[in-house]
Amino acid sequence: MLILVLLGVVALAVVGCVCVVWAERGGPRWVHAAASVTLTMGKVVRRPNRRRGLNGTTGDSDSGGA
């Protein structure tokens, strides 16, 4: 069952990417809508998670030392 869910998510991602490319080349209005939804969801997924560390740090190892 989990495999089917993952395949569905991958299929949606592929269709979204196709819509983004098609919208760049023109395409009908529904393709532009699907492309904007895909791009928005990509931004949501890439947004940094603010609750990474228990002590309030983000996990960056660059502490400014030499």
Side-chain angles (χ1 to χ4, degrees):
M1 183 66 177
L2 183 62
I3 300 278
L4 292 175
V5 172
L6 290 175
L7 284 175
V9 169
V10 169
L12 284 174
V14 169
V15 169
C17 291
V18 169
C19 286
V20 168
V21 171
W22 192 7
E24 284 289 324
R25 297 175 180 239
R29 185 177 294 178
W30 67 268
V31 172
H32 288 271
S36 65
V37 168
T38 301
L39 293 173
T40 302
M41 290 306 295
K43 288 179 184 177
V44 168
V45 169
R46 286 190 311 255
R47 186 176 60 194
N49 189 2
R50 296 179 185 213
R51 295 179 49 166
R52 288 196 182 170
L54 294 176
N55 59 357
T57 62
T58 59
D60 292 336
S61 62
D62 187 21
S63 61

